[in-house]
Amino acid sequence: MKSILYVGATLMISASIYGFVDYRKTSRSKEFKKMYDSKEETSPVVTTEKTNTVVIKPETVSKEKMVVIKKQPVETKEVVEKNSGKKETVAPVEKIEPETTAVNTSLKNNGAAETDKPVKTKKVLSYKLFSRAPLEEKYINKELKSEPKKTENKEQ
Amino acid sequence: MKSLQEEHLNYQTSCMQNSRIFTLQKSVQVLFQMLFWVPVAGLSLLLVYNTLPYFSFSKDFSFIEERSLLFKSSFYTACFYTHIFAGSVCIITALIQFSRYILKKSKPIHRWSGKLYVAVVLFLGAPTGLFMSFFAKGSFWERSLFMFMASFWFITTLKGLSAIHKKNVIGHKIWMMRSYAMAMTAVTFRVYHIVFYLMNWGHLENYELSLWISVIGNMFFAEWIIYRQSKNYLKSFATT
C-alpha cells in the first residue's frame, strides 16, 4: 500500500513540476496565446443572403436618377470579297461583357433594395459530437464532410 | 372478543398489504436505478467508442488540430494518448464495479477490475491529466479546475483503496463513488456541451460553463447519494 502511495505521489509531483516548467516555456510564444482563439464570430449562427432586387416604383422614377443600360454599338465591318468585288456587311459577334443594371439609388440608400434573408444553418446532431472534439462550426463541417468520403471509400 | 380465526385473517391481510407496499417500493427503486444507469452506461460506451479512432495515431482530428502547437511535443502527445487510454479503461471498469450481480456471483472479477481501475487512475490517468491541465483551454480558473480534478481523482481513489485494505467496505464504497464522479465528468461535460451548443451559445462560454457544471454538479450528486445512504454523513470522510 505504501509503495503504491509513494509511486503515485512521485508521478503526480513530477507531472506538476514538469507541467509548470513546460507551461512557462510555451506560454511565452505568441502561437500558444492565440491557439484557442476561435476565428469565427461568437454570435449566433445566422447567415444572411444579400440579393439585389429591382423595385419598380412609378412615383420615384421621374425624380431619381436612373442608370441607363449601356451596350456597345454593334460594329459592322465591310467585308470585301476579292473575287466578286461585292461589299457585304457582316455583323461581328457581340462581345460578351457584364451589363450594368438599373438601380434605384434612393432605394439603395434606404436599404430596401437589399433584402436580408436570415438563413439559419441547421445544427446536425450526430453521435460523433459526443467526443473530445471542439464543437465549432469549422471543425464539425469538416468532420461531416469527411464522413461521406469515408463511406464512399468503404463502398468501393 | 374476536375469534382467533378473525385475528389470523386480519394478520394475513395486513402482511399482504405490507408486502405489496414493499414490492412497490422495490420496483420504484429499480426503476430509478435503471433511469440512472441506462443513460450513464450508454453515454459512457459511446464516449469510449468515439475515442477508439484516436488510436489510429492520425493527426486528422479537430481536437489535435486545435492543439497542433502542443502536439509538436512528443511528451505531450504521449501524455494525451496515455490519458485517453486510461480514461476509457476507467469508464468501462467502473461500470462493472457498481454491479451488485457481479459482486455477488464473482468477487474476483470485482477485485481484479477494481485493481485495474486503481492502477490506471493512480499511475496513468491522474498524473497525465495533471500535466495536461496546464495547457487546457480557458482561463487560469479552468486550468486550476482541471488540476483540482486530477488531484481529487487521485486522492479519492487512493482513499478508496486504503479503506478496503482496512476492511472498511462502507468507506470503500463512499470514496469510490467520489472517484467515479470525477471520472464521469468526461461524460457529463460532453452532455452539457452539446446542449449549450444546440442552444447557440458561444464556443468558449459554452466550454467553460459546461466544465464547471459537470465538475461541481457531479460532486454534489455524489455527495447527495452518500448523504442519503449513510447514517452519519460527516463520518463518511474518514477511512477508518
Side-chain angles (χ1 to χ4, degrees), chain A residues 2-135:
Chain A
K2 277 191 179 177
S3 58
I4 295 168
L5 174 64
Y6 291 148
V7 171
T10 307
L11 285 168
M12 289 292 279
I13 291 165
S14 54
S16 59
I17 292 168
Y18 188 75
F20 180 72
V21 168
D22 204 5
Y23 173 74
R24 288 296 292 263
K25 277 183 191 175
T26 51
S27 63
R28 287 170 197 168
S29 65
K30 289 180 183 177
E31 284 179 35
F32 179 74
K33 287 173 186 173
K34 292 179 184 178
M35 193 169 64
Y36 293 123
D37 290 342
S38 56
K39 290 176 184 177
E40 285 178 342
E41 292 178 359
T42 55
S43 57
V45 183
V46 175
T47 56
T48 56
E49 288 180 359
K50 291 183 180 178
T51 56
N52 290 324
T53 56
V54 177
V55 179
I56 300 166
K57 281 191 179 178
E59 293 174 0
T60 58
V61 165
S62 59
K63 292 178 185 177
E64 302 297 332
K65 290 180 183 177
M66 296 290 286
V67 177
V68 179
I69 298 168
K70 288 183 180 178
K71 278 188 181 179
Q72 285 189 352
V74 176
E75 292 177 0
T76 55
K77 287 183 180 177
E78 292 183 350
V79 176
V80 179
E81 289 185 0
K82 288 182 180 176
N83 295 329
S84 59
K86 291 179 184 176
K87 288 184 182 179
E88 292 180 358
T89 58
V90 176
V93 177
E94 286 184 9
K95 291 181 184 178
I96 300 167
E97 286 183 3
E99 295 177 353
T100 56
T101 53
V103 176
N104 199 335
T105 53
S106 66
L107 294 169
K108 204 177 183 181
N109 293 331
N110 294 333
E114 294 177 351
T115 57
D116 294 344
K117 294 180 183 177
V119 176
K120 289 186 180 179
T121 55
K122 283 186 180 177
K123 294 198 170 178
V124 180
L125 190 64
S126 166
Y127 72 96
K128 291 225 168 190
L129 295 180
F130 205 82
S131 70
R132 300 168 199 281
L135 290 178

Side-chain angles (χ1 to χ4, degrees), chain B residues 181 185 188 192 211-223:
Chain B
T185 53
T188 51
Y192 296 125
L211 185 64
W212 283 98
I213 291 174
S214 64
V215 174
I216 294 169
N218 280 21
M219 285 175 73
F220 270 117
F221 186 74
E223 295 304 318

